[in-house]
Amino acid sequence: MVPMAEQREHQVAFGIDIGGSGIKGAPVDLTTGEFTADRQRIRTPHHSTPEAVGEILAELIGGFDLPDDAPVGVAFPAPLDHGVVRFIANLHKSWKGVDLPALVREATGHEAVAVNDADAAGVGEQRYGAAQGRDGVVLLATLGTGIGSALLVDGVLVPNTELGHLEIDGHDAESRAAESARDREDLSWEKWAKRLQRYFETVEMLLSPDLIVVGGGISKQHEKFLPLLDLRAEIIPATLRNRAGIVGAASLAARPH
């Protein structure tokens, strides 16, 4: 655990969300989870090598008036082993094996923490959003092109769960239950909810979550599908939505545990 004195040292941290099309960032008030300045977005370079992205990170952070010792948290679209990229799908293949916190320190001069993007969103929702103040086993599932997942136990992150890739009824779960599947197959809310029911009841059997938080853009329409689900766990929509990754990453940079 991080000593309490160290936890309170920083009032502001900078959060970054790296995606295949855009790199977004903002300074975050660590007391409230609110942005202290408007979020900025820079297009991800077509040749998205670590070097090219490092230059974008320096440009992004340089656009804000940050304390020299402000920590930086990065949400990244891949599993990470203590900050090292295991494999990569949405950026240049040369990212594999890169120590992302070291790259950020070299590019920006700031100490950094890096975490999977779904994990960052889960931490954001647990510390400042829909799951704030909730103990026990909390699962965040982001429904979009795929299904991202974050698992927290009494507020402690279990990293890199990748629960969207569970095999259910012979299928990769996200190929049937992600929002993209609903769009691709033009499913009604009722038919899609049946697939979500099968997915979440399988996750319940494996993990027995106390709370499930549903994120992703589709969570704005939660009233059309969440009431159709019948689960043991309480299931609620995310509240931070597209801010969750930045907020969670910034919070982890200042308080990893």
Side-chain angles (χ1 to χ4, degrees):
M1 296 293 291
V2 179
M4 290 300 294
E6 185 177 337
Q7 290 182 19
R8 295 175 182 147
E9 181 179 351
H10 300 287
Q11 300 302 313
V12 173
F14 196 83
I16 296 172
D17 193 349
I18 296 177
S21 61
I23 300 173
K24 298 162 286 188
V28 176
D29 182 320
L30 297 173
T31 301
T32 65
E34 297 291 333
F35 294 167
T36 64
D38 290 342
R39 182 186 69 175
Q40 299 298 316
R41 180 184 186 275
I42 299 175
R43 180 179 293 276
T44 303
H46 176 70
H47 193 60
S48 55
T49 63
E51 294 76 17
V53 171
E55 292 178 5
I56 296 296
L57 299 183
E59 178 183 350
L60 185 64
I61 292 174
F64 293 87
D65 183 18
L66 292 177
D68 291 340
D69 64 347
V72 172
V74 181
F76 193 75
L80 299 168
D81 280 337
H82 304 286
V84 177
V85 180
R86 282 171 35 191
F87 60 84
I88 189 70
N90 297 324
L91 297 172
H92 196 272
K93 63 182 181 180
S94 61
W95 275 97
K96 182 177 180 181
V98 169
D99 184 329
L100 184 50
L103 183 147
V104 176
R105 285 194 298 271
E106 183 176 347
T108 71
H110 288 264
E111 290 299 316
V113 166
V115 65
N116 170 263
D117 51 4
D119 286 343
V123 170
E125 291 290 347
Q126 200 277 333
R127 293 184 179 179
Y128 301 101
Q132 187 175 15
R134 299 293 293 267
D135 291 326
V137 180
V138 175
L139 171 70
L140 171 80
T142 56
L143 305 176
T145 304
I147 298 177
S149 66
L151 185 68
L152 297 105
V153 181
D154 291 334
V156 178
L157 176 68
V158 180
N160 299 319
T161 49
E162 297 290 337
L163 295 175
H165 294 296
L166 287 173
E167 184 177 319
I168 300 176
D169 300 330
H171 299 277
D172 187 71
E174 68 179 20
S175 71
R176 300 267 298 161
E179 184 197 1
S180 59
R182 186 184 75 88
D183 291 339
R184 183 176 63 250
E185 300 180 43
D186 194 24
L187 298 173
S188 66
W189 292 107
E190 291 76 15
K191 288 183 177 179
W192 186 49
K194 288 181 179 179
R195 296 188 182 187
L196 290 176
Q197 175 71 29
R198 181 73 180 115
Y199 173 69
F200 284 122
E201 69 186 14
T202 300
V203 172
E204 274 199 320
M205 178 185 67
L206 295 171
L207 299 172
S208 299
D210 298 293
L211 175 68
I212 300 171
V213 179
V214 175
I218 197 68
S219 64
K220 297 176 186 176
Q221 302 181 71
H222 61 89
E223 71 284 350
K224 295 181 179 179
F225 64 94
L226 289 189
L228 302 176
L229 303 179
D230 182 16
L231 302 167
R232 294 192 308 273
E234 182 183 1
I235 184 166
I236 61 175
T239 56
L240 297 183
R241 298 199 177 113
N242 63 359
R243 296 190 296 121
I246 289 175
V247 171
S251 178
L252 281 167
R255 182 162 58 92
H257 303 291

